[in-house]
Amino acid sequence: MTTPSRNFRGFVTVAVLALAGASGAAAAPTEVKGAAILQHACGKASVQQMGLVNAGKMAEAVKLGTTEMQAEWNAMPAEDREMLTGMMKEMSVSAAEFTKDIEAGGLLVIDGADGTLTVKQEHKDENGTSTGTMTQKFKLDGATCRISK
């Protein structure tokens, strides 16, 4: 006859091994750089959103976001949405220009269901050269990538 303490120790050992295996199973973050980002669902969503914002089509751009982001946008007073639309359009670039920026200085990091796109941008015009960094957050659900911020 086995004692309860022996059964309990066996259970604890199995539970600890199971937890160790589960925590070790988490994948390390994946980095995607440059043009390869454009083949990823998050890269495609980001370029599409930038193009829509640049064209002033915020209603369509918002649909590329998470349900939470869409709810936040729709809960804003109309005058706030209008003001933000104008600011975002002014700060945006065309989808073609954003594609070039991603190819030249994009880094997409996927960590489980979370993604972050960082794009270093350099623009030259008659006033000189300006640089900046744009960051966008995503939530992944299988093959679907939604913009979260």
Side-chain angles (χ1 to χ4, degrees), residues 124-146:
K124 297 178 183 179
D125 61 21
E126 63 277 355
N127 298 321
T129 302
S130 64
T131 59
T133 302
M134 192 272 322
T135 303
Q136 194 167 43
K137 302 279 186 181
F138 302 93
K139 290 290 180 188
L140 288 104
D141 183 13
T144 303
C145 188
R146 296 268 179 203

Side-chain angles (χ1 to χ4, degrees), residues 81-149:
R81 287 194 309 263
E82 189 175 314
M83 179 190 65
L84 280 172
T85 296
M87 287 175 27
M88 289 174 69
K89 183 177 179 183
E90 188 175 308
M91 293 173 26
S92 69
V93 295
S94 69
E97 190 172 343
F98 192 51
T99 296
K100 289 177 187 175
D101 289 341
I102 289 173
E103 290 171 340
L107 173 64
L108 175 63
V109 178
I110 303 298
D111 190 2
D114 298 314
T116 303
L117 174 62
T118 305
V119 181
K120 295 184 192 288
Q121 301 164 314
E122 182 175 290
H123 298 284
K124 297 178 183 179
D125 61 21
E126 63 277 355
N127 298 321
T129 302
S130 64
T131 59
T133 302
M134 192 272 322
T135 303
Q136 194 167 43
K137 302 279 186 181
F138 302 93
K139 290 290 180 188
L140 288 104
D141 183 13
T144 303
C145 188
R146 296 268 179 203
I147 297 162
S148 60
K149 290 286 176 184

